[in-house]
Amino acid sequence: MATAEGLRQMVGSVWFKLLIAAVVVGLLFAFNRVDIDALLHLENTWPWLLAAFLLMLPPFAVVSYRFQILLRSQGVQVSFREALRWTMIGAFFDLAMPSSNGGDVIKAGYVIKHVGPGMRGRAVMSVLFDRVLGLLGLFLLASIVMLLGWQVVRDMPARNLLVVCLFGASFGVLLGFRLMGARRFYNLPAMQRLFDRGAWGARVRSLIGAFNDLRERPASMAYPYEGGRLED
């Protein structure tokens, strides 16, 4: 017990966190995720770097507020500061890890630790929806821009494929969400028997319930969707 407590204190110490941060930064340089030449010429470009940094802050604030709304819709009460902290940590690991979705895994881990047992399915669903809303907002925005600039798009050789892909990834996904969340579908006796076969069925039922809670709160979903377009 004493050893476990000592290990927990060591992992939670500031020096251990600084060590991990140093290792991660070193890996960024080792795997060429940071352009050293650009760092060497910062004296010529620092005003643009400062402007880019300031322009990144408002989208992070909006996305964090979106995540806070999604969590609250699932009964997870967090402050805006905590949602902003998790969002920034997730964004960092999106950059540092090989996969662009690594930040979502880290963010889900923080949320699961916060809610504890019994709410993990809803916590994971909130993180998943946070990502899906961002992508959906991106595709919907691209669809609108394509319609507004149709005079340019109609001359493209692959315009039909572009139209199918964009509308399928935006409005098709919305339709898929509606079908997935249909209570008549998963309340069918055959589906209930399928869910009752094992522990996985309870998890699936929990995820579907979390999805319906989000889908049936349009007032809570409108602002998160708008934030999705800023993030992506």
Side-chain angles (χ1 to χ4, degrees), residues 8-97:
R8 189 179 299 109
Q9 291 180 357
M10 183 191 71
V11 172
S13 66
V14 175
W15 293 108
F16 183 81
K17 294 178 181 179
L18 289 175
L19 176 62
I20 295 298
V23 171
V24 171
V25 172
L27 290 175
L28 290 177
F29 282 98
F31 288 97
N32 296 322
R33 300 298 294 268
V34 176
D35 190 348
I36 299 179
D37 292 335
L39 293 177
L40 296 177
H41 295 86
L42 282 180
E43 69 275 5
N44 300 324
T45 59
W46 70 264
W48 293 105
L49 179 64
L50 178 61
F53 176 76
L54 294 177
L55 289 174
M56 286 178 61
L57 294 180
F60 272 117
V62 173
V63 170
S64 300
Y65 184 52
R66 177 186 77 189
F67 188 46
Q68 183 187 25
I69 292 175
L70 291 174
L71 289 172
R72 286 183 175 179
S73 70
Q74 297 301 295
V76 181
Q77 298 299 324
V78 296
S79 64
F80 175 76
R81 178 181 178 183
E82 197 71 12
L84 177 62
R85 175 172 171 264
W86 293 341
T87 301
M88 296 295 287
I89 291 174
F92 172 77
F93 279 98
D94 278 339
L95 172 66
M97 296 182 70

Side-chain angles (χ1 to χ4, degrees), residues 14 18 56 87 116 121 149 166 171 175 188 223 230:
V14 175
L18 289 175
M56 286 178 61
T87 301
L166 284 180
F171 298 101
L175 179 60
L188 292 173
Y223 189 85
L230 290 174

Side-chain angles (χ1 to χ4, degrees), residues 138-211:
L138 177 65
F139 282 116
L140 285 173
L141 179 61
S143 299
I144 294 173
V145 171
M146 180 188 65
L147 293 176
L148 294 176
W150 182 250
Q151 292 182 349
V152 177
V153 175
R154 67 182 180 183
D155 296 329
M156 297 176 60
R159 66 177 183 277
N160 294 334
L161 179 60
L162 178 64
V163 170
V164 171
C165 291
L166 284 180
F167 279 87
S170 53
F171 298 101
V173 172
L174 288 175
L175 179 60
F177 283 168
R178 182 63 183 89
L179 295 176
M180 287 171 55
R183 295 187 182 275
R184 293 182 180 180
F185 174 72
Y186 75 85
N187 283 332
L188 292 173
M191 296 301 299
Q192 293 302 315
R193 289 194 298 269
L194 183 63
F195 292 152
D196 292 336
R197 288 185 178 180
W200 65 270
R203 295 188 180 95
V204 173
R205 186 180 286 115
S206 176
L207 289 175
I208 293 176
F211 170 80

